Amino acid sequence: MALLEVQAISKRYGEGHTAVTALEQVSFALEAGQLLAVLGPSGSGKTTLLSIIAGLLHPTSGEVRVGGQSVAEAQGGGAAFRRRNVGIVFQDYHLIPYLSARENLLLVPHLDGRVRGEDRARADGLLEEFGLAPRAGHRPPMLSGGERQRVAVARALMNEPQLMLVDEPTSHLDTERGFQVVELLRAQIHGRGTTCVMVTHDERMAAHADQVIRLLDGRVVDRPATGDKDLSG
Amino acid sequence: MLALKELLNGKVRFGLIALAVGLVVALTMLMSAMSEGLITGMTGAKGSLKADALVFQGDTQLALERSLLSAESVSAVAESPGVENAYPVGHAMISVAPAAPEEAKASGDGAGGDEASFDARLFGLGGEWEQLPRVEGEAGPPGPGEAIVDVTAQVDGIELGDTVSLTPIGRELTVVGFTENRRYIMVPTFYVDMPTWEDIYLATALGKTAEEASGQGEDLPEGSQQPPAEGISPALGGSASIVAVELSDGVSPAELEGNLGAGFEVATPEDAALAGNGMSVMVLATDGIQWVSLIIGALFIGVFFYITTLHKTGQIAAMKALGASNVYLYRQLLIQIAVLVTVAAAIGMFLSLGAGMSMPPTMAFDPQPVGWGLSLLAVYVMALVGSFFSLHTILRVDPATALDRGEH
Ligand SMILES: Nc1ncnc2c1ncn2[C@@H]1O[C@H](COP(=O)(O)OP(=O)(O)O)[C@@H](O)[C@H]1O
Ligand SMILES: [Mg+2]
């Protein structure tokens, strides 16, 4: 059974003739440990798709299942579900500026109740693995863009999620660092058996993914969009 | 602790707002202490009289200054049904010169003009002397020509054992004790026995006529016909300004007023204290200032946190996307507000105590733990109300916006 099943998702914003159809009948399935790259130009519906998978947005129709469980039916408005099963890397990271790198990682267990010794050990392990150990005590404003992104990825791994969602991981980085981060992500995913949906407008990222789908105007298409040089994400 | 880390991270910002709120807290505390002090200073002598009711002359609006009851009236009150016990109280305005100026007496001119002389009030008590809390001097009633004085008179240089002279009437009083919180109209207040009061009252009321009658009226203008004091004194013997009464069980001041009939006004000491001298307006004003400053303090806190919350809606959305509940986020805000208000309260208390200590004792400053406690409680409650604006924002933030970068 697939870990992530996206079944005929459609999303319409607004009503009447001002309505925008952001997604139209999007379906796919992902096995555990797979990295999916969702490619598409700006406005194609990538963020909308990610939000629906995270349970932050309700689809107009269709259903998302994680490990066979419907995200829409998850208890507590999906917050508890996200705390336990989902790791999110935001496009602009959303690190808490007044917490150190290590504390940003520990925020995850903190929000889920309490921080145990094993959580601290896990945070230290991740910081070590991501080459952030010497920067563990630094706050985000003191870190470089690449370091910040690695903290964001490490934070998303803190709860050992079944599912990781990554929005535009390369938009703030130069090409070289962008590839490095995606490689790091892929190593983590394969090593841990985590399923990952990575959203990007950068066609070159397709090479790093196990599976690729392309979005254009909310629909899945089978060829790269041409003539669209939009780099804004 | 997330909330505290955020506070510590923005020390300057939070420190400044704590200082601003602290100043407002200090203002309310000062206002509370000063209005308490003002009320005690203005009416302590009147409002603290040991009595269930005070009987005034009719149509005087409970003003000590205007009320005068004849000896017959005083005994009529004492014998009235419903009155358990009664004693007369006299009031007079006096001018006091700290030491008796020998040369002035020698020249027969006790008149003022002496820079050191000051305004004071005189109270005669016809009993119940133990009601005056004694802070200095022997217990027991003063003898003739002796006075127990509100301790604030020490600021004017009055000490135990001093003999002060009353100008321009040429009487003297020896200070045998000090009491506290028994001032009237903020001026030093002297307590004497009824015969001493009567003598001084008559001398004051009748002006220089006593001296003129005793043969010092040479410089009176031709044809001036003032009555000699001796002719009037007997008629006023045994009179008092008011009568303080202890009522039988179940008898109200209003009932006593009914029993006494026309020509008398009756009120509890507390009510009488707030009558006249603009007291009710003053109390309204000081209460008003306290409430306004409390509301300003609350607005400070409320608006400050509201703006802070508005500034970090992105962060709030991310926290929610990470699984933080509204309850968690609001609790963090409340912790921050509680810390800020507590720091502000400490600053405020420190400032107002400092201000209070540097005030002269004659200045009305009477910190009441209850009053300050209430001020603090009110600040906390108001801050809580202010936090509702932020709560509204917290509830409204959509975690989905964390994935969005405001592209729309
Ligand atoms: N909250 C919203 N309200 C209305 N329209 C929206 C909203 N969010 C996204 N859209 C529209 O849906 C489409 C897809 O947006 P989005 O998912 O953000 O695309 P992408 O992430 O690929 O740039 C766009 O046309 C966008 O204008
Ligand atoms: Mg997007």
Side-chain angles (χ1 to χ4, degrees), chain B residues 110-142:
Chain B
D114 187 347
E115 281 167 313
S117 85
F118 54 83
D119 256 357
R121 295 284 172 140
L122 184 74
F123 277 78
L125 292 184
E128 305 285 353
W129 281 95
E130 66 287 349
Q131 69 176 290
L132 294 184
R134 202 68 60 92
V135 295
E136 228 180 283
E138 304 272 308

PDB file of all heavy atoms in Angstrom, chain B residues 110-142:
ATOM      1  N   GLY B 110      -0.802  91.415  70.031  1.00  0.00           N
ATOM      2  CA  GLY B 110      -0.675  90.000  69.686  1.00  0.00           C
ATOM      3  C   GLY B 110      -1.002  89.740  68.238  1.00  0.00           C
ATOM      4  O   GLY B 110      -1.158  88.606  67.833  1.00  0.00           O
ATOM      5  N   ALA B 111      -1.143  90.805  67.477  1.00  0.00           N
ATOM      6  CA  ALA B 111      -1.622  90.646  66.105  1.00  0.00           C
ATOM      7  C   ALA B 111      -0.655  89.846  65.250  1.00  0.00           C
ATOM      8  O   ALA B 111       0.513  89.711  65.576  1.00  0.00           O
ATOM      9  CB  ALA B 111      -1.863  92.007  65.462  1.00  0.00           C
ATOM     10  N   GLY B 112      -1.195  89.339  64.134  1.00  0.00           N
ATOM     11  CA  GLY B 112      -0.385  88.520  63.227  1.00  0.00           C
ATOM     12  C   GLY B 112       0.645  89.348  62.502  1.00  0.00           C
ATOM     13  O   GLY B 112       1.118  90.352  63.028  1.00  0.00           O
ATOM     14  N   GLY B 113       0.994  88.945  61.300  1.00  0.00           N
ATOM     15  CA  GLY B 113       2.068  89.607  60.585  1.00  0.00           C
ATOM     16  C   GLY B 113       3.353  88.863  60.850  1.00  0.00           C
ATOM     17  O   GLY B 113       4.315  89.001  60.126  1.00  0.00           O
ATOM     18  N   ASP B 114       3.344  88.044  61.877  1.00  0.00           N
ATOM     19  CA  ASP B 114       4.490  87.196  62.152  1.00  0.00           C
ATOM     20  C   ASP B 114       4.587  86.150  61.040  1.00  0.00           C
ATOM     21  O   ASP B 114       3.672  85.394  60.807  1.00  0.00           O
ATOM     22  CB  ASP B 114       4.267  86.532  63.518  1.00  0.00           C
ATOM     23  CG  ASP B 114       5.487  85.751  63.971  1.00  0.00           C
ATOM     24  OD1 ASP B 114       6.399  85.527  63.140  1.00  0.00           O
ATOM     25  OD2 ASP B 114       5.514  85.373  65.137  1.00  0.00           O
ATOM     26  N   GLU B 115       5.722  86.103  60.376  1.00  0.00           N
ATOM     27  CA  GLU B 115       5.868  85.204  59.227  1.00  0.00           C
ATOM     28  C   GLU B 115       5.728  83.740  59.626  1.00  0.00           C
ATOM     29  O   GLU B 115       5.262  82.924  58.870  1.00  0.00           O
ATOM     30  CB  GLU B 115       7.229  85.419  58.567  1.00  0.00           C
ATOM     31  CG  GLU B 115       7.236  86.644  57.694  1.00  0.00           C
ATOM     32  CD  GLU B 115       8.645  87.026  57.296  1.00  0.00           C
ATOM     33  OE1 GLU B 115       9.524  87.065  58.186  1.00  0.00           O
ATOM     34  OE2 GLU B 115       8.865  87.273  56.101  1.00  0.00           O
ATOM     35  N   ALA B 116       6.167  83.423  60.856  1.00  0.00           N
ATOM     36  CA  ALA B 116       6.185  82.033  61.272  1.00  0.00           C
ATOM     37  C   ALA B 116       4.796  81.527  61.648  1.00  0.00           C
ATOM     38  O   ALA B 116       4.612  80.337  61.822  1.00  0.00           O
ATOM     39  CB  ALA B 116       7.124  81.839  62.440  1.00  0.00           C
ATOM     40  N   SER B 117       3.833  82.393  61.789  1.00  0.00           N
ATOM     41  CA  SER B 117       2.514  81.926  62.228  1.00  0.00           C
ATOM     42  C   SER B 117       1.795  81.243  61.077  1.00  0.00           C
ATOM     43  O   SER B 117       2.007  81.554  59.911  1.00  0.00           O
ATOM     44  CB  SER B 117       1.688  83.090  62.771  1.00  0.00           C
ATOM     45  OG  SER B 117       1.034  83.738  61.716  1.00  0.00           O
ATOM     46  N   PHE B 118       0.989  80.221  61.408  1.00  0.00           N
ATOM     47  CA  PHE B 118       0.312  79.460  60.368  1.00  0.00           C
ATOM     48  C   PHE B 118      -1.134  79.174  60.754  1.00  0.00           C
ATOM     49  O   PHE B 118      -1.515  79.274  61.912  1.00  0.00           O
ATOM     50  CB  PHE B 118       1.068  78.161  60.086  1.00  0.00           C
ATOM     51  CG  PHE B 118       1.317  77.321  61.313  1.00  0.00           C
ATOM     52  CD1 PHE B 118       0.335  76.458  61.793  1.00  0.00           C
ATOM     53  CD2 PHE B 118       2.534  77.407  61.999  1.00  0.00           C
ATOM     54  CE1 PHE B 118       0.561  75.692  62.918  1.00  0.00           C
ATOM     55  CE2 PHE B 118       2.755  76.634  63.132  1.00  0.00           C
ATOM     56  CZ  PHE B 118       1.776  75.782  63.599  1.00  0.00           C
ATOM     57  N   ASP B 119      -1.886  78.826  59.736  1.00  0.00           N
ATOM     58  CA  ASP B 119      -3.289  78.460  59.900  1.00  0.00           C
ATOM     59  C   ASP B 119      -3.411  77.122  60.598  1.00  0.00           C
ATOM     60  O   ASP B 119      -2.652  76.210  60.307  1.00  0.00           O
ATOM     61  CB  ASP B 119      -3.909  78.299  58.516  1.00  0.00           C
ATOM     62  CG  ASP B 119      -4.776  79.472  58.173  1.00  0.00           C
ATOM     63  OD1 ASP B 119      -4.921  80.360  59.037  1.00  0.00           O
ATOM     64  OD2 ASP B 119      -5.307  79.483  57.050  1.00  0.00           O
ATOM     65  N   ALA B 120      -4.379  77.003  61.450  1.00  0.00           N
ATOM     66  CA  ALA B 120      -4.597  75.719  62.112  1.00  0.00           C
ATOM     67  C   ALA B 120      -6.072  75.597  62.467  1.00  0.00           C
ATOM     68  O   ALA B 120      -6.846  76.541  62.283  1.00  0.00           O
ATOM     69  CB  ALA B 120      -3.729  75.604  63.357  1.00  0.00           C
ATOM     70  N   ARG B 121      -6.442  74.401  62.890  1.00  0.00           N
ATOM     71  CA  ARG B 121      -7.824  74.176  63.316  1.00  0.00           C
ATOM     72  C   ARG B 121      -7.800  73.694  64.749  1.00  0.00           C
ATOM     73  O   ARG B 121      -6.875  73.006  65.183  1.00  0.00           O
ATOM     74  CB  ARG B 121      -8.490  73.118  62.434  1.00  0.00           C
ATOM     75  CG  ARG B 121      -8.649  73.569  60.986  1.00  0.00           C
ATOM     76  CD  ARG B 121      -9.790  74.554  60.821  1.00  0.00           C
ATOM     77  NE  ARG B 121      -9.768  75.093  59.466  1.00  0.00           N
ATOM     78  CZ  ARG B 121     -10.879  75.314  58.750  1.00  0.00           C
ATOM     79  NH1 ARG B 121     -12.078  75.055  59.248  1.00  0.00           N
ATOM     80  NH2 ARG B 121     -10.782  75.815  57.541  1.00  0.00           N
ATOM     81  N   LEU B 122      -8.859  74.079  65.456  1.00  0.00           N
ATOM     82  CA  LEU B 122      -8.976  73.720  66.852  1.00  0.00           C
ATOM     83  C   LEU B 122     -10.224  72.861  67.032  1.00  0.00           C
ATOM     84  O   LEU B 122     -11.308  73.200  66.537  1.00  0.00           O
ATOM     85  CB  LEU B 122      -9.100  74.997  67.686  1.00  0.00           C
ATOM     86  CG  LEU B 122      -9.124  74.780  69.183  1.00  0.00           C
ATOM     87  CD1 LEU B 122      -7.734  74.432  69.694  1.00  0.00           C
ATOM     88  CD2 LEU B 122      -9.666  76.015  69.891  1.00  0.00           C
ATOM     89  N   PHE B 123     -10.067  71.746  67.693  1.00  0.00           N
ATOM     90  CA  PHE B 123     -11.218  70.914  68.039  1.00  0.00           C
ATOM     91  C   PHE B 123     -11.316  70.806  69.553  1.00  0.00           C
ATOM     92  O   PHE B 123     -10.322  70.525  70.218  1.00  0.00           O
ATOM     93  CB  PHE B 123     -11.081  69.504  67.438  1.00  0.00           C
ATOM     94  CG  PHE B 123     -11.519  69.439  66.008  1.00  0.00           C
ATOM     95  CD1 PHE B 123     -10.687  69.908  65.003  1.00  0.00           C
ATOM     96  CD2 PHE B 123     -12.760  68.939  65.675  1.00  0.00           C
ATOM     97  CE1 PHE B 123     -11.090  69.868  63.679  1.00  0.00           C
ATOM     98  CE2 PHE B 123     -13.167  68.897  64.357  1.00  0.00           C
ATOM     99  CZ  PHE B 123     -12.343  69.365  63.348  1.00  0.00           C
ATOM    100  N   GLY B 124     -12.521  71.042  70.065  1.00  0.00           N
ATOM    101  CA  GLY B 124     -12.779  70.780  71.471  1.00  0.00           C
ATOM    102  C   GLY B 124     -13.505  69.452  71.566  1.00  0.00           C
ATOM    103  O   GLY B 124     -14.414  69.171  70.779  1.00  0.00           O
ATOM    104  N   LEU B 125     -13.073  68.613  72.500  1.00  0.00           N
ATOM    105  CA  LEU B 125     -13.759  67.345  72.700  1.00  0.00           C
ATOM    106  C   LEU B 125     -14.316  67.329  74.114  1.00  0.00           C
ATOM    107  O   LEU B 125     -13.603  67.628  75.073  1.00  0.00           O
ATOM    108  CB  LEU B 125     -12.817  66.155  72.522  1.00  0.00           C
ATOM    109  CG  LEU B 125     -12.274  65.852  71.128  1.00  0.00           C
ATOM    110  CD1 LEU B 125     -11.449  64.577  71.156  1.00  0.00           C
ATOM    111  CD2 LEU B 125     -13.399  65.734  70.115  1.00  0.00           C
ATOM    112  N   GLY B 126     -15.576  66.929  74.227  1.00  0.00           N
ATOM    113  CA  GLY B 126     -16.212  66.857  75.542  1.00  0.00           C
ATOM    114  C   GLY B 126     -16.127  65.458  76.127  1.00  0.00           C
ATOM    115  O   GLY B 126     -16.970  65.084  76.930  1.00  0.00           O
ATOM    116  N   GLY B 127     -15.145  64.682  75.723  1.00  0.00           N
ATOM    117  CA  GLY B 127     -14.984  63.335  76.264  1.00  0.00           C
ATOM    118  C   GLY B 127     -14.429  62.396  75.224  1.00  0.00           C
ATOM    119  O   GLY B 127     -14.019  62.840  74.144  1.00  0.00           O
ATOM    120  N   GLU B 128     -14.390  61.122  75.553  1.00  0.00           N
ATOM    121  CA  GLU B 128     -13.919  60.077  74.621  1.00  0.00           C
ATOM    122  C   GLU B 128     -12.513  60.374  74.123  1.00  0.00           C
ATOM    123  O   GLU B 128     -12.197  60.211  72.945  1.00  0.00           O
ATOM    124  CB  GLU B 128     -14.873  59.934  73.420  1.00  0.00           C
ATOM    125  CG  GLU B 128     -16.317  59.674  73.776  1.00  0.00           C
ATOM    126  CD  GLU B 128     -16.558  58.231  74.233  1.00  0.00           C
ATOM    127  OE1 GLU B 128     -15.633  57.396  74.150  1.00  0.00           O
ATOM    128  OE2 GLU B 128     -17.672  57.956  74.694  1.00  0.00           O
ATOM    129  N   TRP B 129     -11.636  60.771  75.011  1.00  0.00           N
ATOM    130  CA  TRP B 129     -10.291  61.155  74.582  1.00  0.00           C
ATOM    131  C   TRP B 129      -9.467  59.977  74.077  1.00  0.00           C
ATOM    132  O   TRP B 129      -8.529  60.143  73.304  1.00  0.00           O
ATOM    133  CB  TRP B 129      -9.558  61.871  75.728  1.00  0.00           C
ATOM    134  CG  TRP B 129     -10.016  63.287  75.830  1.00  0.00           C
ATOM    135  CD1 TRP B 129     -10.984  63.779  76.648  1.00  0.00           C
ATOM    136  CD2 TRP B 129      -9.568  64.375  75.037  1.00  0.00           C
ATOM    137  NE1 TRP B 129     -11.172  65.119  76.437  1.00  0.00           N
ATOM    138  CE2 TRP B 129     -10.309  65.518  75.440  1.00  0.00           C
ATOM    139  CE3 TRP B 129      -8.614  64.516  74.027  1.00  0.00           C
ATOM    140  CZ2 TRP B 129     -10.118  66.767  74.865  1.00  0.00           C
ATOM    141  CZ3 TRP B 129      -8.421  65.764  73.466  1.00  0.00           C
ATOM    142  CH2 TRP B 129      -9.179  66.875  73.886  1.00  0.00           C
ATOM    143  N   GLU B 130      -9.861  58.786  74.556  1.00  0.00           N
ATOM    144  CA  GLU B 130      -9.070  57.617  74.144  1.00  0.00           C
ATOM    145  C   GLU B 130      -9.187  57.354  72.642  1.00  0.00           C
ATOM    146  O   GLU B 130      -8.430  56.577  72.080  1.00  0.00           O
ATOM    147  CB  GLU B 130      -9.468  56.383  74.965  1.00  0.00           C
ATOM    148  CG  GLU B 130     -10.864  55.860  74.744  1.00  0.00           C
ATOM    149  CD  GLU B 130     -11.963  56.730  75.346  1.00  0.00           C
ATOM    150  OE1 GLU B 130     -11.638  57.650  76.136  1.00  0.00           O
ATOM    151  OE2 GLU B 130     -13.140  56.501  75.008  1.00  0.00           O
ATOM    152  N   GLN B 131     -10.108  58.041  71.972  1.00  0.00           N
ATOM    153  CA  GLN B 131     -10.250  57.844  70.524  1.00  0.00           C
ATOM    154  C   GLN B 131      -9.077  58.412  69.723  1.00  0.00           C
ATOM    155  O   GLN B 131      -8.877  58.051  68.564  1.00  0.00           O
ATOM    156  CB  GLN B 131     -11.552  58.467  70.015  1.00  0.00           C
ATOM    157  CG  GLN B 131     -11.558  59.998  70.052  1.00  0.00           C
ATOM    158  CD  GLN B 131     -12.816  60.570  69.462  1.00  0.00           C
ATOM    159  OE1 GLN B 131     -13.028  60.500  68.272  1.00  0.00           O
ATOM    160  NE2 GLN B 131     -13.672  61.099  70.319  1.00  0.00           N
ATOM    161  N   LEU B 132      -8.321  59.328  70.345  1.00  0.00           N
ATOM    162  CA  LEU B 132      -7.180  59.886  69.609  1.00  0.00           C
ATOM    163  C   LEU B 132      -5.995  58.943  69.741  1.00  0.00           C
ATOM    164  O   LEU B 132      -5.486  58.743  70.852  1.00  0.00           O
ATOM    165  CB  LEU B 132      -6.799  61.264  70.176  1.00  0.00           C
ATOM    166  CG  LEU B 132      -7.797  62.398  70.012  1.00  0.00           C
ATOM    167  CD1 LEU B 132      -7.196  63.698  70.544  1.00  0.00           C
ATOM    168  CD2 LEU B 132      -8.201  62.571  68.562  1.00  0.00           C
ATOM    169  N   PRO B 133      -5.518  58.335  68.642  1.00  0.00           N
ATOM    170  CA  PRO B 133      -4.339  57.467  68.747  1.00  0.00           C
ATOM    171  C   PRO B 133      -3.142  58.318  69.172  1.00  0.00           C
ATOM    172  O   PRO B 133      -2.876  59.364  68.577  1.00  0.00           O
ATOM    173  CB  PRO B 133      -4.173  56.937  67.322  1.00  0.00           C
ATOM    174  CG  PRO B 133      -4.900  57.898  66.445  1.00  0.00           C
ATOM    175  CD  PRO B 133      -6.004  58.474  67.268  1.00  0.00           C
ATOM    176  N   ARG B 134      -2.461  57.898  70.238  1.00  0.00           N
ATOM    177  CA  ARG B 134      -1.373  58.724  70.761  1.00  0.00           C
ATOM    178  C   ARG B 134      -0.051  58.233  70.219  1.00  0.00           C
ATOM    179  O   ARG B 134       0.314  57.093  70.416  1.00  0.00           O
ATOM    180  CB  ARG B 134      -1.384  58.650  72.300  1.00  0.00           C
ATOM    181  CG  ARG B 134      -0.688  59.814  72.968  1.00  0.00           C
ATOM    182  CD  ARG B 134      -1.466  61.113  72.763  1.00  0.00           C
ATOM    183  NE  ARG B 134      -2.809  61.068  73.302  1.00  0.00           N
ATOM    184  CZ  ARG B 134      -3.130  61.457  74.531  1.00  0.00           C
ATOM    185  NH1 ARG B 134      -2.215  61.933  75.337  1.00  0.00           N
ATOM    186  NH2 ARG B 134      -4.372  61.389  74.945  1.00  0.00           N
ATOM    187  N   VAL B 135       0.647  59.079  69.447  1.00  0.00           N
ATOM    188  CA  VAL B 135       1.954  58.669  68.922  1.00  0.00           C
ATOM    189  C   VAL B 135       3.093  59.232  69.754  1.00  0.00           C
ATOM    190  O   VAL B 135       4.238  58.802  69.622  1.00  0.00           O
ATOM    191  CB  VAL B 135       2.141  59.055  67.438  1.00  0.00           C
ATOM    192  CG1 VAL B 135       1.161  58.290  66.569  1.00  0.00           C
ATOM    193  CG2 VAL B 135       1.997  60.549  67.219  1.00  0.00           C
ATOM    194  N   GLU B 136       2.786  60.212  70.605  1.00  0.00           N
ATOM    195  CA  GLU B 136       3.813  60.810  71.455  1.00  0.00           C
ATOM    196  C   GLU B 136       3.106  61.460  72.633  1.00  0.00           C
ATOM    197  O   GLU B 136       1.979  61.931  72.493  1.00  0.00           O
ATOM    198  CB  GLU B 136       4.589  61.887  70.666  1.00  0.00           C
ATOM    199  CG  GLU B 136       6.101  61.777  70.783  1.00  0.00           C
ATOM    200  CD  GLU B 136       6.808  62.872  69.977  1.00  0.00           C
ATOM    201  OE1 GLU B 136       6.873  62.724  68.738  1.00  0.00           O
ATOM    202  OE2 GLU B 136       7.262  63.842  70.589  1.00  0.00           O
ATOM    203  N   GLY B 137       3.773  61.513  73.771  1.00  0.00           N
ATOM    204  CA  GLY B 137       3.183  62.173  74.926  1.00  0.00           C
ATOM    205  C   GLY B 137       2.368  61.219  75.771  1.00  0.00           C
ATOM    206  O   GLY B 137       2.152  60.067  75.423  1.00  0.00           O
ATOM    207  N   GLU B 138       1.926  61.732  76.947  1.00  0.00           N
ATOM    208  CA  GLU B 138       1.185  60.924  77.907  1.00  0.00           C
ATOM    209  C   GLU B 138      -0.216  60.633  77.391  1.00  0.00           C
ATOM    210  O   GLU B 138      -0.814  61.436  76.683  1.00  0.00           O
ATOM    211  CB  GLU B 138       1.062  61.689  79.235  1.00  0.00           C
ATOM    212  CG  GLU B 138       2.387  62.118  79.820  1.00  0.00           C
ATOM    213  CD  GLU B 138       2.982  61.040  80.722  1.00  0.00           C
ATOM    214  OE1 GLU B 138       2.265  60.572  81.631  1.00  0.00           O
ATOM    215  OE2 GLU B 138       4.152  60.646  80.490  1.00  0.00           O
ATOM    216  N   ALA B 139      -0.740  59.461  77.788  1.00  0.00           N
ATOM    217  CA  ALA B 139      -2.139  59.182  77.497  1.00  0.00           C
ATOM    218  C   ALA B 139      -3.018  60.035  78.412  1.00  0.00           C
ATOM    219  O   ALA B 139      -2.533  60.666  79.340  1.00  0.00           O
ATOM    220  CB  ALA B 139      -2.418  57.702  77.713  1.00  0.00           C
ATOM    221  N   GLY B 140      -4.291  60.087  78.146  1.00  0.00           N
ATOM    222  CA  GLY B 140      -5.212  60.836  79.001  1.00  0.00           C
ATOM    223  C   GLY B 140      -5.570  62.175  78.417  1.00  0.00           C
ATOM    224  O   GLY B 140      -4.869  62.687  77.540  1.00  0.00           O
ATOM    225  N   PRO B 141      -6.643  62.745  78.883  1.00  0.00           N
ATOM    226  CA  PRO B 141      -7.123  64.010  78.316  1.00  0.00           C
ATOM    227  C   PRO B 141      -6.203  65.169  78.690  1.00  0.00           C
ATOM    228  O   PRO B 141      -5.554  65.126  79.726  1.00  0.00           O
ATOM    229  CB  PRO B 141      -8.503  64.176  78.945  1.00  0.00           C
ATOM    230  CG  PRO B 141      -8.516  63.305  80.140  1.00  0.00           C
ATOM    231  CD  PRO B 141      -7.529  62.215  79.922  1.00  0.00           C
ATOM    232  N   PRO B 142      -6.147  66.191  77.850  1.00  0.00           N
ATOM    233  CA  PRO B 142      -5.350  67.366  78.186  1.00  0.00           C
ATOM    234  C   PRO B 142      -6.068  68.212  79.233  1.00  0.00           C
ATOM    235  O   PRO B 142      -7.294  68.189  79.308  1.00  0.00           O
ATOM    236  CB  PRO B 142      -5.251  68.100  76.855  1.00  0.00           C
ATOM    237  CG  PRO B 142      -6.484  67.696  76.110  1.00  0.00           C
ATOM    238  CD  PRO B 142      -6.842  66.314  76.571  1.00  0.00           C
TER     239      PRO B 142
END
